[in-house]
Amino acid sequence: MRSGSILFTVLLILLYAFEAYGNSATQSNWSGGPGVPGPVILWEEEFHLDNVVEWRDSAGSVTLLPPLELVIDGDYYSARSVHSKDIDGDGDMDVLGAAYSTDDISWWENVDGFGTIWIKHNITLSFDGARTVYSEDIDGDGDMDVIGAATYANSITWWENEDGSGIIWIEHIVTVDFNSALSVHVEDIDGDGDMDILGAAFLLGDIAWWENADGLGISWIKHSIHGSLDCPASVYSADINDDGYMDVLGAVAFADDIIWWENVDGFGTIWIKHYITSNFDGAHSVYSEDIDGDGDMDVIGAATYSNEIAWWENSDTGQGIYWIEHTVDGDFNGAISVHSDDIDGDGDMDILGAAYEDGKIIWWENIDGSGTSWTEFTIDEEFDAAISVYSADIDDDGNMDILGASTGNSDITWWDLTAYSPEGSLESSILDIQGIYFNWNDFDWNATIPANTSVSFQLRASWNHIYMGVWSDTLTSPCSLAGILQDGRRYVQYRVILNSSDPDTTPVLNDVTISWNPVGVGEELDIDEYFLFGAEPNPASDFVRIGFSVPDYAPVELSIYDLSGRLVIMPSHVEYAPGVHHVHFTELNPGIYFCQMRAGDFTATQRFLVIE
């Protein structure tokens, strides 16, 4: 044991803590976002966790979060692709999916037209390595057919919607020699009025199109656009240079390329290759829309290895020769699918993305319509191995909804962006009120609570912020904290719970206030247990303060041991009155120590660190 004096001091009260910001704490702004567990001495604008609540749109409120999530099929194993068309011709949008490991191409009938009741219909269960699904009227009979790409079958195939109801399907094979077919798209490439088919073959290195020679989808002629690419992953078609002909876009994964091929003669027989970028690491998905609203077609991409969603501005009056890259999100881990639509109905094109590694579906709002300023909205951040994203008006309310496929969750899901979820919650950061002797006073909040909604709270307090303990019973109205929180426990946290049974309505939390009363010397704290709540500061340097509580008059022994178990400070034998007490220790060498408290049958140990 080191020689010299050892100071034992009982700390009576920290007046400065109460003077710093009074005897109450209020939070009325959550716009700083989650991720701050605490402890903090002011709540300010941040909090710990959120679950299905919105805190960004209005800095002074917490509301339930649209969208409302509706699972179409939660048992669609190895879901790989999602698409939407009116398959049965009843005027509402149905949903299609491809499942890789089960060789499945299916569609789900939107029974009530609102997206709440679905019936699954299998189109095929033998499409080996089903990878992508798409829908268009291939045979020109006015109903929607289905087209797919299968990786293991090396196939591009379409299924004829025989009676227009989606019940009877006739399979038509376009090719079985398209090695590792990964992507499929449909467009009138040769301008003859019928639908042709495009495909990307990953291992073959080919982007090609098949001419619908008879307009009925029975006779097909293959035209290779480019046959020596380094693993193309995605194909799409749009009129990039505004000459009236449909051009072709490709994402080439291992070459990091986004490319477009100019349809020179409009018949799809002469192509000129134009690079948009050769530095898009792991280019996996490509799409085209007029992002900046200037009347020409821009290009959007997802890059898996660089975790990026970007768009390229068609900057030379729409000729597709000069491109300016704009990053939408450079930290979208495992970006794998991209799409574009006017999600918020403001007349400009927004962007949607799926991140495989992050398990996220997100859309980015095109704030000013120019594509230079974006606001991110998380649709789902627990959509395990999110792999495909699309948009359609599923519930026929005039607003765009979002569709997603999750390989990890085996889900096909849609989200209604205009309907509120039935329940959400937010947990505050742990607040350190820095008091030693105090009684909890009141808990209050202000909220707007329409009919069929509610706002309630749970609280917890502790002497040790690492072990906060269990939440209180649910509080449905502002109240006194007597009997709810233990007096003297300086760390406190709240959880707000928002509920609504009306999808068109949300409650709104405006502010939260907790208050306490300092207890003067000689006043009594309501302490009902022995507790050793650790060292402060930790790590320590000049001194360390050990805090503990006793419920009755009792002798207490405090001992300090080093990491080897050697006793470095002999036990103190002091009788303490009921309450919270603190003892200071000084002149400890740098190292790891253990403080042991003994009081009757009670024993507890806490570890602390001393540094230079």
Side-chain angles (χ1 to χ4, degrees), residues 230-244:
D230 195 0
C231 298
S234 177
V235 66
Y236 193 73
S237 183
D239 183 5
I240 297 298
N241 57 352
D242 198 28
D243 63 356

Side-chain angles (χ1 to χ4, degrees), residues 161-339:
N161 190 350
E162 173 64 17
D163 60 358
S165 67
I167 304 302
I168 302 172
W169 298 91
I170 300 174
E171 181 179 84
H172 300 275
I173 296 173
V174 179
T175 181
V176 291
D177 193 28
F178 202 51
N179 189 11
S180 188
L182 206 65
S183 176
V184 70
H185 187 65
V186 176
E187 190 53 81
D188 181 8
I189 296 297
D190 53 6
D192 62 357
D194 54 45
M195 291 294 108
D196 306 305
I197 293 177
L198 299 107
F202 193 74
L203 295 181
L204 185 62
D206 196 4
I207 284 184
W209 73 280
W210 288 264
E211 179 184 350
N212 190 349
D214 58 3
L216 302 175
I218 305 302
S219 176
W220 296 94
I221 300 171
K222 180 183 177 182
H223 302 270
S224 181
I225 297 172
H226 199 300
S228 58
L229 297 166
D230 195 0
C231 298
S234 177
V235 66
Y236 193 73
S237 183
D239 183 5
I240 297 298
N241 57 352
D242 198 28
D243 63 356
Y245 306 145
M246 299 309 297
D247 307 303
V248 173
L249 294 127
V252 186
F254 288 179
D256 308 329
D257 291 341
I258 298 291
I259 299 170
W260 77 279
W261 291 268
E262 181 183 351
N263 188 351
V264 176
D265 59 0
F267 300 120
T269 57
I270 303 172
W271 299 92
I272 296 177
K273 178 180 178 182
H274 302 274
Y275 283 96
I276 296 173
T277 182
S278 294
N279 192 33
F280 200 49
D281 194 11
H284 199 281
S285 181
V286 68
Y287 197 78
S288 183
E289 259 299 350
D290 181 8
I291 297 298
D292 54 6
D294 63 356
D296 54 47
M297 300 302 290
D298 305 303
V299 174
I300 312 115
T304 303
Y305 300 148
S306 61
N307 308 316
E308 187 175 2
I309 299 290
W311 74 279
W312 292 267
E313 180 184 349
N314 193 347
S315 63
D316 57 337
T317 64
Q319 297 304 300
I321 305 302
Y322 300 104
W323 298 90
I324 300 173
E325 181 172 349
H326 303 270
T327 298
V328 178
D329 192 328
D331 191 27
F332 196 48
N333 194 17
I336 199 166
S337 179
V338 71
H339 187 68

